Amino acid sequence: MFYVKTVPALKRARADIHFKRLVLNRAVRCTVTSSSTAQTEHDGVRIRGGSECPGLSGRGGRRREGTAAAAAANEISVDFEQTREAYKSKDSLELLRSLVVFKLCSYDFLVDKNKEVMDLAKKILGQKTFDQFMKMTFYGQFVAGEDHNDIKPLIQKNHSYGVGSVLDYSVEEDISQEEAERKEMDSCVSAAEKENIGKDHRERKYQAHKQFSDRRGGVTGARTYFYADEAKCDQHMETFIKCIKASGGSSMDGFSAIKMTALGRPQFLLQFSEVLVKWRRFFTFLASQQGKDGLEALEQRLELTQLQEFMTKLGANGDFYGWFKGRKEDSTGCIDMLDWNSLIDDRTKISDLLVVPNVELGKLEPLLGKFTVEEDQQMKRMLQRVDVLAKHALESGVRLMVDAEQTYFQPAISRLTLEMQRTYNGEKPVIFNTYQCYLKEAYDNVTMDVELSRREGWHFAAKLVRGAYMYQERERAKEIGYEDPINPDYESTNRMYHRCLDYVLDEIALNRKANVMVASHNEDTVKHTLTRMNELGLIPTENKVYFGQLLGMCDQISFPLGQAGFPVYKYVPYGPVNEVMPYLSRRAQENRGFMKGAQKERELLWKELKRRLASGELLYKPVY
């Protein structure tokens, strides 16, 4: 799985790619004006025809004018204010439930004490009545049902209104903080570290710290797994397989979500992440020695002759030119970050991957002094579980979405996901990686992975999110003493999100092999995406650009998009009432901030209820 051959030259020269991007951006910025008064409107979706794009004369100009005109002719505008269309899949009781739940989520006392309140309600009402109450309120709003049979009616109803599903079995362990801390510390520290405390040259960021070992702290938008043993990881894998099969059995174009930390000992993710980051940092250092600092990651190049000379001056004994023996005949004599990353290759033992460059000795050295046989086997089993899930997804016709996690795990998670993409995304997008755009390095990560997919000819597939671990990440960086990995403010994160999104959309327009899910509740981001799709001539039926929102939230965005023909998906959690309580607790906390900051959804819900009351449609029932 980890074989990484030396990367071949680009099928198209890099200069040609950059030129095409410049031409593309020049073309879409031209003024598009209506040349026809014909305009149709149906179900809140406007289709406008006719346009002209002046200023692109000369060789190729006429063709680009025609392309822009064709794009404008297919331009689709979605109206997110049309409540009748946004809520046509809901009866009036469902609208009323949404209003009640969102209102309750705005009360700090209820949200802060939600666990105590629910425990008290359970004692007073009894388990059966409590379950019924939850299904009428919070559970019914945010969870699809108890099992894969129970969720089929909702999936089919949403599908009939143009909205697909990303299935997520949302059962979580409800364990104490003390137990969470114990499990995390036991599973993130290797035998070598326990025997030789402080002797291995590990970075503090990639080590377990007791005060942050309960990874649930400050996290409302993501589920957390704690390692117990290998048997528990096998159970998680079987659960994911059932979810994949349920997704394949309920629709033709579904997604299923997984988390890497559910599939193995997190010690490996910590250690492998540290190795990957050190390799990347070493490349950046060498590039700075050749005067290439200050450039974006993909623009940095190392001249191999200068590299060898510099390392020799440092007293290094190794043949660094020989590290890239497969590229000695390369006419450019240069390597970039992707070539550099290819040094991590297939080895006899998985633990042999955990090596870092030693500048003084000019050779690779192990990150830790030793690995036990059991640790090596645990690493192998984690990779095997990931591979099993990818195969099941391919066989079931389901796309597998790998969720992002904390920054001290994420480099390894992204690399493992990328290896799956290289294996399974050759003919179509099966494996989707998740990029958290609140990270300062998000753009570099996206551009490097897009470039690698282009070189090797597989389908790039990404889910773009803003991120779920901001408060925890900031506090951990401050307390432990490393650079805050998060963008300084919300506006910076928005700019990063749109920058990453624009890059992928441009790539789709260039070669139609990239794919992206815009996982956002932000209406401005969705509108930005629609504008860019119209500019680039990307039509919904190509199924290259997807949209995603959580079940029970932002229906005024999801359903108008679906009815306009855009591929849009709800993240659909399911599981028994009593076992999804941690998930519901997080939804309540997440919605507190969401509902306090944005009143639009509640206003639209009230508007639709009033419209139905005035028009005599209060007893309206969805037909599907």
Side-chain angles (χ1 to χ4, degrees):
M1 180 177 179
F2 267 88
Y3 176 66
V4 185
K5 62 183 178 181
T6 306
V7 182
L10 275 173
K11 294 178 181 177
R12 296 170 290 179
R14 291 188 184 96
D16 184 46
I17 291 294
H18 295 319
F19 174 75
K20 286 185 178 180
R21 283 190 180 275
L22 287 172
V23 170
L24 183 66
N25 290 334
R26 168 70 180 88
V28 300
R29 281 196 292 267
C30 66
T31 304
V32 179
T33 58
S34 175
S35 62
S36 170
T37 58
Q39 178 171 295
T40 62
E41 184 168 345
H42 178 66
D43 286 353
V45 181
R46 291 179 296 174
I47 303 176
R48 293 181 289 186
S51 71
E52 59 181 356
C53 185
L56 288 178
S57 58
R59 187 173 62 180
R62 186 181 302 276
R63 180 176 59 83
R64 286 195 293 275
E65 285 180 11
T67 302
N74 292 319
E75 183 176 333
I76 297 178
S77 174
V78 181
D79 188 347
F80 297 114
E81 305 291 333
Q82 294 287 334
T83 61
R84 181 170 188 166
E85 306 309 324
Y87 299 115
K88 69 191 306 183
S89 67
K90 310 286 185 184
D91 62 35
S92 298
L93 282 177
E94 289 177 291
L95 299 184
L96 189 60
R97 179 187 66 195
S98 297
L99 279 167
V100 171
V101 169
F102 290 155
K103 184 63 178 177
L104 290 174
C105 287
S106 67
Y107 292 120
D108 289 337
F109 173 78
L110 288 177
V111 174
D112 292 336
K113 301 292 183 181
N114 70 85
K115 191 176 186 305
E116 292 85 348
V117 170
M118 287 190 284
D119 287 343
L120 178 62
K122 195 183 303 182
K123 288 181 181 178
I124 295 173
L125 300 174
Q127 186 67 54
K128 186 175 180 180
T129 305
F130 174 77
D131 287 355
Q132 291 175 339
F133 171 75
M134 291 301 294
K135 288 182 178 180
M136 292 170 58
T137 54
F138 289 92
Y139 182 95
Q141 180 72 18
F142 299 119
V143 182
E146 299 208 17
D147 55 40
H148 64 275
N149 288 319
D150 202 19
I151 66 178
K152 284 183 178 179
L154 183 138
I155 291 174
Q156 290 168 358
K157 181 176 79 167
N158 285 353
H159 190 267
S160 69
Y161 288 97
V163 177
S165 300
V166 181
L167 294 193
D168 182 22
Y169 190 67
S170 295
V171 170
E172 302 180 28
E173 285 186 292
D174 192 7
I175 61 177
S176 67
Q177 180 177 340
E178 292 74 18
E179 186 178 357
E181 291 176 350
R182 179 184 59 78
K183 285 186 173 183
E184 187 74 354
M185 295 305 294
D186 286 345
S187 62
C188 287
V189 181
S190 69
E193 289 175 294
K194 291 176 182 177
E195 292 177 9
N196 302 285
I197 298 175
K199 291 186 179 180
D200 287 303
H201 300 291
R202 298 290 309 282
E203 291 192 12
R204 287 176 59 78
K205 178 177 180 178
Y206 300 100
Q207 291 179 303
H209 298 272
K210 192 173 188 303
Q211 67 267 43
F212 297 102
S213 54
D214 186 352
R215 289 181 277 113
R216 299 170 299 183
V219 178
T220 62
R223 183 166 72 260
T224 302
Y225 288 94
F226 293 97
Y227 180 84
D229 50 41
E230 292 298 291
K232 191 68 174 179
C233 293
D234 286 335
Q235 290 178 20
H236 291 153
M237 181 185 70
E238 292 299 326
T239 298
F240 288 144
I241 290 173
K242 290 178 182 177
C243 194
I244 290 169
K245 290 181 177 179
S247 183
S250 58
S251 66
M252 296 292 292
D253 55 355
F255 284 87
S256 189
I258 67 169
K259 272 189 176 294
M260 287 286 188
T261 49
L263 298 172
R265 191 181 181 97
Q267 167 198 333
F268 173 53
L269 296 176
L270 279 173
Q271 293 166 346
F272 193 31
S273 291
E274 183 173 358
V275 167
L276 293 168
V277 169
K278 284 184 174 179
W279 274 101
R280 184 168 174 173
R281 192 182 299 154
F282 187 46
F283 177 90
T284 303
F285 164 74
L286 294 173
S288 70
Q289 300 304 307
Q290 295 189 13
K292 309 292 176 58
D293 52 335
L295 299 176
E296 290 183 354
L298 270 179
E299 300 301 319
Q300 292 180 328
R301 305 279 188 274
L302 291 182
E303 295 182 16
L304 290 178
T305 303
Q306 290 186 34
L307 170 64
Q308 184 65 59
E309 291 175 355
F310 174 75
M311 299 304 292
T312 302
K313 287 180 181 178
L314 286 180
N317 300 319
D319 177 14
F320 290 87
Y321 206 123
W323 282 5
F324 299 93
K325 58 183 178 181
R327 295 187 62 90
K328 275 191 174 181
E329 292 77 23
D330 191 337
S331 59
T332 65
C334 295
I335 59 170
D336 63 11
M337 180 75 80
L338 296 179
D339 303 319
W340 182 259
N341 288 342
S342 71
L343 286 171
I344 300 177
D345 57 10
D346 192 12
R347 297 168 190 270
T348 304
K349 294 197 302 180
I350 299 298
S351 58
D352 288 345
L353 288 168
L354 303 181
V355 293
V356 292
N358 185 313
V359 177
E360 295 179 359
L361 299 179
K363 65 179 184 179
L364 302 179
E365 290 189 332
L367 183 69
L368 295 174
K370 69 174 183 178
F371 288 87
T372 67
V373 174
E374 177 58 24
E375 285 174 336
D376 196 72
Q377 289 300 315
Q378 288 171 349
M379 295 177 197
K380 285 184 177 179
R381 285 194 288 267
M382 182 180 196
L383 302 181
Q384 288 166 354
R385 293 183 189 107
V386 171
D387 199 51
V388 166
L389 292 175
K391 288 177 179 176
H392 274 282
L394 185 64
E395 292 168 1
S396 301
V398 173
R399 287 155 296 186
L400 198 61
M401 195 168 281
V402 182
D403 285 344
E405 304 192 44
Q406 286 89 346
T407 53
Y408 42 91
F409 293 140
Q410 192 56 42
I413 291 171
S414 289
R415 180 58 183 261
L416 296 177
T417 305
L418 186 144
E419 295 300 329
M420 286 198 293
Q421 290 179 317
R422 300 168 100 170
T423 302
Y424 296 101
N425 283 15
E427 296 182 2
K428 60 181 180 180
V430 176
I431 310 298
F432 279 65
N433 197 4
T434 301
Y435 297 86
Q436 300 183 101
C437 294
Y438 67 5
L439 297 179
K440 296 174 182 176
E441 62 179 20
Y443 182 75
D444 284 346
N445 293 337
V446 169
T447 56
M448 283 195 294
D449 289 353
V450 167
E451 173 76 1
L452 184 62
S453 71
R454 188 191 299 128
R455 293 185 187 189
E456 298 183 344
W458 45 270
H459 290 259
F460 175 82
K463 178 177 75 169
L464 297 183
V465 300
R466 280 174 170 78
Y469 306 97
M470 182 178 71
Y471 299 112
Q472 184 187 99
E473 292 276 13
R474 285 198 192 284
E475 185 180 358
R476 190 177 190 271
K478 181 180 179 181
E479 289 296 320
I480 295 176
Y482 57 87
E483 182 184 354
D484 184 352
I486 309 296
N487 287 317
D489 50 45
Y490 185 74
E491 288 71 26
S492 300
T493 294
N494 273 345
R495 288 193 295 271
M496 179 65 78
Y497 193 105
H498 288 184
R499 189 184 183 199
C500 293
L501 175 59
D502 287 344
Y503 188 90
V504 179
L505 292 175
D506 285 347
E507 181 65 19
I508 295 172
L510 282 171
N511 67 23
R512 291 309 200 266
K513 292 196 79 171
N515 307 263
V516 64
M517 173 172 278
V518 183
S520 176
H521 293 162
N522 188 306
E523 188 175 315
D524 290 336
T525 293
V526 173
K527 288 180 176 178
H528 172 83
T529 307
L530 298 182
T531 299
R532 293 285 289 129
M533 288 180 69
N534 284 329
E535 291 173 344
L536 295 169
L538 304 179
I539 58 177
T541 53
E542 288 184 276
N543 285 338
K544 294 293 181 183
V545 183
Y546 311 87
F547 297 87
Q549 290 86 37
L550 291 170
L551 182 70
M553 297 173 65
C554 291
D555 287 347
Q556 81 278 8
I557 292 177
S558 306
F559 285 91
L561 283 172
Q563 290 161 45
F566 289 90
V568 59
Y569 292 82
K570 285 292 192 183
Y571 217 88
V572 178
Y574 67 100
V577 175
N578 208 39
E579 296 182 47
V580 298
M581 297 308 288
Y583 174 84
L584 291 174
S585 175
R586 289 191 286 102
R587 284 286 76 79
Q589 294 176 47
E590 186 174 19
N591 272 289
R592 168 173 54 184
F594 176 78
M595 294 313 299
K596 280 187 174 181
Q599 299 296 321
K600 183 174 181 178
E601 186 161 4
R602 277 193 288 179
E603 291 172 359
L604 291 175
L605 286 164
W606 272 120
K607 180 180 176 181
E608 176 58 13
L609 276 174
K610 291 175 182 177
R611 187 199 66 78
R612 290 184 183 183
L613 181 62
S615 62
E617 299 178 48
L618 199 58
L619 300 180
Y620 165 80
K621 293 291 182 183
V623 178
Y624 59 95

